[in-house]
Amino acid sequence: EGDSAVLRRAMAVAQHHDAVSGTEKQHVANDYAKRLAAGWDACQVLVSNALASISGNKENFIYCNYLNISVCPLTESAGTFMVTLYNPLGRRVSWNVRLPVKGASYSVTDPNGQMVPNEVVPVSNFTRAVRRGRGDATHELIFPASAPPLGYSTYTISKMANRDLRSRLAKRIREQAQPRVDT
Amino acid sequence: WSPREIQNEHLRVLFDPVTGLLMKIQNLDKSISLPVSQSFFWYSASIGDDDSAQASGAYIFRPNHSEPLPVARGVRTYLVKNKLVQEVYQNFSSWCSQVVRLYAGQAYVELEWTVGPIPVDDGLGKEIISRFETSLQTDGRFYTDSNGREILERRRDYRATWNLSQTEAVAGNYYPVNSRIYIKNKKFQLTVLTDRSQGGSSVADGSMELMVHRRLLYDDNRGVGEPLLEPGVYHDGLVVRGRHLVFLDTVESSADRHRLQAQQEFMAPQLVLAPGGGPSFHRG
């Protein structure tokens, strides 16, 4: 069962002025972090249950806490996966999603099944230096996404095989060879 | 070779070809061009001096000089450019780097900095800042938010309710920055949104700075009883990574930009991943 009370309690403790300003002893800072992490763990179950209930699909939802240093075991290893963006704001937002990957080419489809433009860039040496053995993604997949007010959008990502790449390249060459007619 | 500029529909960001540092920002929609140099500096933390025994610590920011030292005078850079994003990677040192980023269609410059572990082998506590220097005539005034809500005007070396005798030229002008800080002249405004609470100031006209990380070796004797020397998982100090979003616009239009974007940063979309193919589910 999901439970938001654990995080609520941890947040309440973290209202203390030492937690707000960082004037606590180190072992107290560690305890604040531990409480907040335990709270988030319990909340993840709650969010997963809510998403399953709303979407009608019981998925093995995964939360990657180290996306800021390009670490996410699922996106690094899976050939196909889904990304759900939940938007807590009361208006539509656009967002550039960055996910750690190992492949060179991906297809991204939006909730309507439309292809979404995407790019794959190498993980920087800056990031490799700070992640210190956590994860081994070589690239980051970037694509623009959007989510409705107080709602969610789910994007599907698939790694493209080399033959897909070759056929896409051949198609591009054919297109460039033909004269274009603007209408 | 170092990249000279990155550009999207709204902004152009120029870099100094010699130092590799950010040099100028242009708002292409409004035809505004402002020389903006941005770099990282560090204040050497006081351990107490003849004026006062007060050391810099968890409660107290007290540099031992008013002028911070540059982390680097020039940076090694490289460019990543595609249809969705343009990024200039700047390497300041082995413990300080930054990505200057423009996504397609984005009306602000994103600075993603990575700082730490701060070296303290030389026996000096260090307080690291990102400083923006412009030609704006700001008349000693700058602006910070009050917990993301009201914007408060701050005046250098001035207090509204008493005659101030300033004894700490830098620390005495530092203010909390919870979500944004800006400077402006009569026409243009340079705004920086933060992704977390930081300390910030404008210690000279046209200048604006934010403290992004600190590592200190002495207790400030204000109660915590230990220096601000967080070891991190690997016991060599913390590495922090964060973002500053920089807006250049007219004074009239700036609030419309930074207010909405700040909401989007504070209540950012939550990413949830799944391998897919799960069974259908209906609540009983």
Side-chain angles (χ1 to χ4, degrees):
Chain A
E1 276 193 17
D3 184 7
S4 62
V6 186
L7 184 57
R8 224 179 292 162
R9 282 197 293 269
M11 282 297 295
V13 172
Q15 302 307 302
H16 183 81
H17 64 85
D18 281 344
V20 171
S21 58
T23 47
E24 72 282 51
K25 284 182 186 290
Q26 186 58 52
H27 70 268
V28 178
N30 296 342
D31 186 58
Y32 288 148
K34 186 176 174 182
R35 285 170 188 271
L36 289 165
W40 176 223
D41 277 351
C43 256
Q44 286 176 5
V45 181
L46 191 82
V47 175
S48 296
N49 290 349
L51 280 174
S53 185
I54 297 166
S55 68
N57 267 313
K58 192 178 179 183
E59 291 286 346
N60 178 25
F61 292 111
I62 289 164
Y63 301 79
C64 286
N65 294 330
Y66 290 112
L67 279 178
N68 67 334
I69 52 169
S70 301
V71 176
C72 180
L74 174 69
T75 60
E76 288 168 31
S77 58
T80 303
F81 55 91
M82 301 189 322
V83 180
T84 298
L85 266 90
Y86 172 70
N87 171 22
L89 280 178
R91 59 181 161 85
R92 175 170 280 277
V93 298
S94 299
W95 196 260
N96 287 292
V97 176
R98 294 179 82 105
L99 298 170
V101 292
K102 284 186 189 163
S105 182
Y106 287 81
S107 75
V108 179
T109 52
D110 71 10
N112 301 318
Q114 300 295 310
M115 296 295 283
V116 177
N118 67 85
E119 296 282 352
V120 175
V121 300
V123 169
S124 72
N125 286 339
F126 307 161
T127 296
R128 287 171 194 266
V130 297
R131 68 185 180 193
R132 294 179 163 187
R134 282 175 294 201
D136 57 356
T138 53
H139 290 79
E140 283 182 293
L141 170 68
I142 305 170
F143 63 92
S146 67
L150 291 167
Y152 69 93
S153 297
T154 300
Y155 291 75
T156 305
I157 290 108
S158 299
K159 193 176 182 177
M160 289 176 73
N162 280 344
R163 64 173 178 276
D164 296 330
L165 272 174
R166 277 199 295 273
S167 66
R168 230 168 44 155
L169 193 64
K171 189 181 168 200
R172 190 182 292 176
I173 290 168
R174 279 199 304 275
E175 284 172 355
Q176 285 173 348
Q178 289 170 354
R180 286 189 183 173
V181 181
D182 291 331
T183 56
Chain B
W1 181 84
S2 62
R4 302 293 291 272
E5 66 173 57
I6 52 176
Q7 179 179 340
N8 68 6
E9 307 92 306
H10 305 293
L11 291 165
R12 179 184 292 143
V13 183
L14 292 95
F15 297 86
D16 187 308
V18 177
T19 64
L21 297 171
L22 196 152
M23 186 177 74
K24 186 183 277 188
I25 300 176
Q26 294 178 335
N27 179 329
L28 302 174
D29 298 327
K30 305 275 178 67
S31 300
I32 303 169
S33 181
L34 184 69
V36 180
S37 68
Q38 182 273 336
S39 190
F40 290 90
F41 296 80
W42 61 279
Y43 289 107
S44 181
S46 175
I47 59 170
D49 54 24
D50 293 342
D51 292 334
S52 165
Q54 181 64 62
S56 205
Y59 289 87
I60 306 290
F61 166 43
R62 187 163 188 252
N64 63 11
H65 295 290
S66 296
E67 277 305 312
L69 297 161
V71 172
R73 294 191 188 281
V75 292
R76 283 188 297 167
T77 60
Y78 68 91
L79 175 70
V80 169
K81 190 173 184 176
N82 56 49
K83 284 178 188 166
L84 295 181
V85 70
Q86 297 179 41
E87 302 173 319
V88 171
Y89 288 73
Q90 299 175 311
N91 190 20
F92 287 79
S93 73
S94 59
W95 53 270
C96 182
S97 60
Q98 181 173 253
V99 185
V100 182
R101 182 175 288 141
L102 270 183
Y103 284 107
Q106 187 174 273
Y108 55 85
V109 187
E110 178 179 324
L111 307 180
E112 186 183 52
W113 39 266
T114 306
V115 178
I118 298 173
V120 288
D121 301 342
D122 53 7
L124 301 174
K126 296 180 183 66
E127 323 214 24
I128 318 301
I129 59 161
S130 170
R131 179 180 276 182
F132 301 82
E133 287 170 317
T134 73
S135 55
L136 292 176
Q137 297 295 313
T138 53
D139 194 24
R141 288 169 164 80
F142 59 105
Y143 301 82
T144 62
D145 68 297
S146 175
N147 214 18
R149 296 168 188 269
E150 189 180 8
I151 298 289
L152 301 175
E153 183 183 88
R154 313 295 195 178
R155 286 176 65 180
R156 196 164 52 250
D157 299 331
Y158 176 81
R159 302 290 186 271
T161 52
W162 78 93
N163 290 326
L164 174 68
S165 173
Q166 184 64 271
T167 55
E168 294 285 346
V170 179
N173 286 305
Y174 255 67
Y175 288 90
V177 176
N178 293 291
S179 67
R180 73 207 79 187
I181 182 170
Y182 61 77
I183 50 175
K184 63 180 181 179
N185 65 11
K186 285 180 181 161
K187 287 182 179 172
F188 308 126
Q189 179 171 321
L190 188 73
T191 310
V192 180
L193 286 186
T194 63
D195 63 348
R196 67 197 69 189
S197 293
Q198 291 165 341
S201 186
S202 169
V203 295
D205 270 12
S207 161
M208 178 165 56
E209 64 189 53
L210 288 156
M211 187 174 293
V212 295
H213 198 2
R214 54 204 301 251
R215 192 174 184 205
L216 308 170
L217 301 173
Y218 293 86
D219 177 32
D220 57 13
N221 276 312
R222 296 289 169 147
V224 70
E226 53 187 56
L228 191 75
L229 187 61
E230 194 159 4
V233 176
Y234 299 95
H235 303 285
D236 59 355
L238 284 187
V239 182
V240 292
R241 172 170 281 183
R243 298 188 310 144
H244 288 152
L245 310 185
V246 184
F247 294 80
L248 173 65
D249 213 317
T250 59
V251 172
E252 294 77 24
S253 303
S254 284
D256 200 23
R257 296 267 186 209
H258 70 70
R259 285 285 181 191
L260 291 175
Q261 190 59 39
Q263 286 179 344
Q264 198 167 318
E265 292 301 311
F266 180 70
M267 296 183 77
Q270 173 66 49
L271 274 186
V272 187
L273 297 134
S280 62
F281 171 77
H282 297 287
R283 283 176 69 179

